[in-house]
Amino acid sequence: RSSGEIHEITWNPNKKLLLCVVGEQVHIVDCTGDQSKELQVLSSDSALTCATWVGERVVSGSATGSLIVHDAGQNSEIKALDDREIVSVTALDESRVLVGYQAEDE
C-alpha cells in the first residue's frame, strides 16, 4: 500500500509478524491469517533505514545515525554516537543491539 521501495524485511516467528522497512518508515504486518494486514506504521523525524525486534519492542536505525526504540506507541531516540547512516541493527539479547554504520567514503 505504501509507495517506496522495501529495503528490509525481518520476521518474528513467535508473533508471526513482519517488520518491513518501506521508504522512510517501518511497517508491522500480521501474517497469521489468510491475508496479511498492516497493524502499525512506525516513523520518526529522520528517515528509518532498518529495524529489528528486541523482545516486545522494535528498534530501528536512522539515516542520521540515531537508534529509535518503538515501544507501545512511544518513540525514544537514542542519540547518535556517529552521524553516519545506520545500515543494520541486530538484537543480541533483550537489552542490547549490534549497530552497523555506513562505511566512510575513502
Side-chain angles (χ1 to χ4, degrees), residues 31-87:
C31 298
T32 54
D34 292 340
Q35 300 216 344
S36 60
K37 61 180 183 257
E38 186 172 84
L39 299 180
Q40 193 174 3
V41 178
L42 307 174
S43 59
S44 178
D45 293 339
S46 55
L48 301 181
T49 55
C50 53
T52 193
W53 294 99
V54 181
E56 298 293 310
R57 298 168 300 216
V58 174
V59 175
S60 60
S62 75
T64 56
S66 295
L67 285 173
I68 295 91
V69 179
H70 308 274
D71 190 9
Q74 299 292 315
N75 287 357
S76 303
E77 184 171 348
I78 299 169
K79 291 295 181 195
L81 297 174
D82 194 310
D83 61 2
R84 290 178 290 159
E85 178 178 332
I86 294 177
V87 294

Side-chain angles (χ1 to χ4, degrees), residues 1 9-20 26-41 53 58:
R1 295 184 201 281
I9 296 176
T10 306
W11 173 245
N12 181 332
N14 299 329
K15 294 173 163 259
K16 299 208 174 8
L17 295 176
L18 285 176
L19 285 180
C20 302
V26 177
H27 299 254
I28 300 177
V29 180
D30 182 349
C31 298
T32 54
D34 292 340
Q35 300 216 344
S36 60
K37 61 180 183 257
E38 186 172 84
L39 299 180
Q40 193 174 3
V41 178
W53 294 99
V58 174

Side-chain angles (χ1 to χ4, degrees), residues 50 52 54 67 86 88-93 96-101:
C50 53
T52 193
V54 181
L67 285 173
I86 294 177
S88 68
V89 58
T90 305
L92 297 176
D93 56 30
R96 298 180 305 157
V97 293
L98 179 65
V99 177
Y101 286 97

